[in-house]
Amino acid sequence: MLARIWSASLIGIDAVKVGVEVDISGGLPGMVVVGLPDAAVQEAKERVKAALKNAGFAFPMRKIVVNLTPADLRKEGPSFDLPVATGILAASDQVSADLLGDFLFLGEVSLDGSLRPVSGVLAIAAAATQLGITGLVVPEANAQEAAVVPGLKVYGFKDLGEVAEFLNHPADHQPVAVDGQAELVRSHPNPLDLRDVKGQVQARRALEIAAAGGHNLVFVGPPGSGKTMLARRLPGILPPLQFDEALEVTQVHSVAGLLKDRGRLVSTRPFRSPHHSASGPSLVGGGSFPRPGEISLAHRGVLFLDELTEFKRDVLEFLRQPLEDGYVTISRTRQSVVFPAQFTLVASTNPCACGYYGDPVQPCTCTPRSREQYWAKLSGPLMDRIDLQVVVSRLKPDEMTTYTPGEDSDTVRQRVEMARQQAHARFAQEPSLQCNADMQSRHLKHWCPLNDTTRGLIEAAVRKLGLSARAMDRILKVARTIADLAGAETLEAAHVAEAIQYRTIDRMQ
């Protein structure tokens, strides 16, 4: 007898519908899986056989052929255990096959018949409607994760016995209900507050501009000047995630297998801080079956690169395309995978190898040649893509011993949200633009017109600093954000002048 059941496979964070066909016929007892299965899918034969027997079902002692369609798509992972087991039960008339065409089945099966959670369920659930699926049957541990997606019937079960009971008596079971919007309301505030930062007025201002416009930022300063402390407080002044954004972020973490609390959305903006020994694939993603890297895990959040000049130059060059496009494409022989990567890059670095170049207290021991080699690790095209370059000086003795609380993160975040609202109103006809940093040259001509004064400032900066056209565009984007924070409709000379002063590294080189 033949039974057909639906499952799904992931290509990046996109789901592809996979048909699981189970045929039981006469012949020597045995089980064959075809359709480009990987080792984990091939091993499902033994897991499913033992699970069905230990769960109290009869395993047909006949020839069983399992076909996974489409046949040219590589199938990987243990998530096909449940559909294979359910298909065998349906083909051997141990469960009803009436609901098999309406539901999609995912899950790993243990030898005792219990169901174990798998990765990527949320990404598949988010694409279920486009796949023509109205409901999901998943392990109980995955049910709340999948139920976050509105308009989808999700049933979670502990073992194969409960799945069989559901298929035979569906009216006795109710789908799992989760209020995704409520999950965002229960998000925890960032415990790191800007009020703890002493002094550093210009650096705090740069953080506010970066948050308001989504601009990339680098801090340059001696050891102990507070660069890392400042960077870690950026998520606390960013606007809260909207539901659609939270769903995107949670999908990426689900695919990567990093979703710790499967019953909730990732409700706070990610903050990823890879070590400077990280490789290129760990940063952008990769592997035989590509998985998201740090830049995708930082999607809609912050990627912090501490000690920027300690990263290998070729690793940093991997960032150029994602910083420009907002996504990363990983190409393999059989397929190309696209992962989202819209993040704010924040980096910190010392001004030289010893760390004290330009410091008024500690003398620098580096030679001009060594300083030149130190900065050569950062290519011009990469630095062009960093909008805000800020020198962070060491605190004065009186600033260290006197604690004068500055503005807290909540106050700054309110201004950031107002500036973002002004930008969103401006981008009403451009849904692809989320913040000022996303603007292209054609947008700058429309929303950042220059008068004689501002044009003169820009031209002087380009001549003196040797700026590229990309760097000039980024100055205009920063000026637009500064104007939004001030509530101004047009760019004024003060806005452009402040934006130019954030090209510190251009002046140092």
Side-chain angles (χ1 to χ4, degrees):
M1 184 175 176
L2 176 66
R4 292 185 175 91
I5 193 168
W6 293 112
S7 188
S9 184
L10 287 172
I11 301 178
I13 63 170
D14 298 321
V16 177
K17 197 174 182 181
V18 173
V20 179
E21 301 175 334
V22 179
D23 179 70
I24 301 178
S25 60
L28 291 175
M31 184 174 173
V32 179
V33 180
V34 298
L36 280 183
D38 73 346
V41 180
Q42 287 284 10
E43 292 169 354
K45 295 184 293 185
E46 302 303 325
R47 286 196 298 272
V48 168
K49 182 178 179 180
L52 289 175
K53 289 182 177 179
N54 292 328
F57 297 100
F59 187 81
M61 299 305 295
R62 305 176 69 186
K63 182 179 180 180
I64 302 174
V65 178
V66 178
N67 181 38
L68 306 176
T69 62
D72 60 345
L73 175 68
R74 183 77 173 175
K75 313 340 181 272
E76 63 166 338
S79 61
F80 295 101
D81 289 5
L82 178 57
V84 169
T86 306
I88 292 175
L89 292 176
S92 58
D93 290 327
Q94 297 183 70
V95 298
S96 172
D98 294 342
L99 298 180
L100 298 187
D102 298 327
F103 285 84
L104 189 148
F105 293 74
L106 294 165
E108 179 182 346
V109 176
S110 296
L111 298 186
D112 61 356
S114 60
L115 303 183
R116 295 173 55 82
V118 293
S119 301
V121 169
L122 179 61
I124 293 173
T129 304
Q130 287 76 19
L131 298 177
I133 294 296
T134 59
L136 263 66
V137 175
V138 296
E140 187 178 50
N142 283 124
Q144 302 247 344
E145 172 188 352
V148 166
V149 179
L152 189 66
K153 295 180 180 178
V154 177
Y155 294 85
F157 301 109
K158 295 179 180 179
D159 52 44
L160 289 175
E162 291 186 357
V163 175
E165 178 64 23
F166 165 70
L167 293 174
N168 291 327
H169 306 286
D172 297 339
H173 300 267
Q174 295 297 321
V176 177
V178 173
D179 188 348
Q181 296 287 355
E183 298 300 330
L184 290 181
V185 174
R186 286 200 294 265
S187 63
H188 300 290
N190 192 318
L192 302 178
D193 201 292
L194 271 178
R195 68 157 62 93
D196 301 326
V197 178
K198 297 179 180 180
Q200 307 298 5
V201 175
Q202 186 183 35
R204 290 171 59 102
R205 171 67 171 173
L207 274 182
E208 182 176 342
I209 295 171
H215 303 290
N216 303 318
L217 166 67
V218 62
F219 289 126
V220 183
S225 56
K227 303 184 295 293
T228 301
M229 182 182 186
L230 285 159
R232 291 190 178 277
R233 279 154 179 76
L234 177 57
I237 62 174
L238 288 171
L241 285 171
Q242 300 301 309
F243 180 77
D244 291 344
E245 293 177 327
L247 195 59
E248 290 178 12
V249 173
T250 311
Q251 284 182 52
V252 175
H253 283 70
S254 176
V255 169
L258 299 179
L259 204 57
K260 296 180 180 179
D261 191 345
R262 296 180 182 274
R264 293 188 177 183
L265 290 169
V266 176
S267 54
T268 56
R269 293 191 181 271
F271 183 90
R272 305 294 299 186
S273 181
H275 191 260
H276 59 73
S277 62
S279 64
S282 70
L283 205 61
V284 301
S288 300
F289 301 100
R291 287 288 181 266
E294 291 292 338
I295 63 173
S296 294
L297 294 173
H299 180 58
R300 301 295 185 186
V302 177
L303 177 69
F304 176 48
L305 301 184
D306 199 8
E307 304 297 342
L308 181 65
T309 49
E310 296 301 322
F311 283 81
K312 295 180 180 178
R313 177 168 176 146
D314 59 338
V315 172
L316 293 177
E317 293 304 296
F318 282 114
L319 294 173
R320 287 166 55 178
Q321 181 259 334
L323 284 173
E324 198 71 21
D325 300 334
Y327 62 86
V328 59
T329 302
I330 302 173
S331 298
R332 293 294 181 265
T333 303
R334 292 183 176 273
Q335 62 184 5
S336 292
V337 175
V338 178
F339 290 115
Q342 290 184 315
F343 59 91
T344 298
L345 174 64
V346 180
S348 68
T349 182
N350 295 329
C352 62
C354 76
Y356 295 103
Y357 177 62
D359 187 80
V361 178
Q362 183 77 21
C364 175
T365 60
C366 300
T367 64
R369 175 62 178 168
S370 66
R371 286 196 293 268
E372 183 179 342
Q373 292 175 338
Y374 185 80
W375 284 105
K377 299 177 183 179
L378 306 179
S379 69
L382 176 63
M383 298 312 298
D384 268 356
R385 291 168 168 82
I386 298 181
D387 307 348
L388 302 164
Q389 305 164 4
V390 182
V391 170
V392 182
S393 303
R394 69 163 66 212
L395 293 176
K396 298 176 182 177
D398 61 323
E399 291 178 319
M400 295 183 189
T401 57
T402 304
Y403 177 62
T404 305
E407 282 187 312
D408 58 20
S409 293
D410 288 341
T411 302
V412 177
R413 186 173 60 250
Q414 290 175 11
R415 291 199 298 269
V416 167
E417 291 179 357
M418 291 179 62
R420 289 239 182 176
Q421 290 171 6
Q422 186 169 337
H424 289 163
R426 186 165 57 246
F427 302 148
Q429 304 302 320
E430 295 278 355
S432 62
L433 300 181
Q434 300 294 319
C435 55
N436 289 332
D438 296 336
M439 290 191 294
Q440 304 297 321
S441 296
R442 60 186 178 87
H443 302 127
L444 295 176
K445 294 177 182 178
H446 181 63
W447 287 311
C448 302
L450 300 175
N451 55 34
D452 293 340
T453 304
T454 54
R455 184 179 295 105
L457 285 172
I458 290 287
E459 291 175 355
V462 170
R463 285 194 300 269
K464 185 174 181 180
L465 303 179
L467 299 179
S468 66
R470 180 187 292 113
M472 186 189 73
D473 285 351
R474 291 186 176 270
I475 288 176
L476 291 177
K477 294 177 187 180
V478 172
R480 180 65 266 174
T481 299
I482 294 171
D484 288 344
L485 286 168
E489 292 293 332
T490 59
L491 294 187
E492 299 175 3
H495 306 145
V496 175
E498 183 178 358
I500 292 172
Q501 77 170 349
Y502 292 119
R503 304 301 302 188
T504 300
I505 295 179
D506 296 320
R507 297 198 299 270
M508 293 175 63
Q509 295 178 323

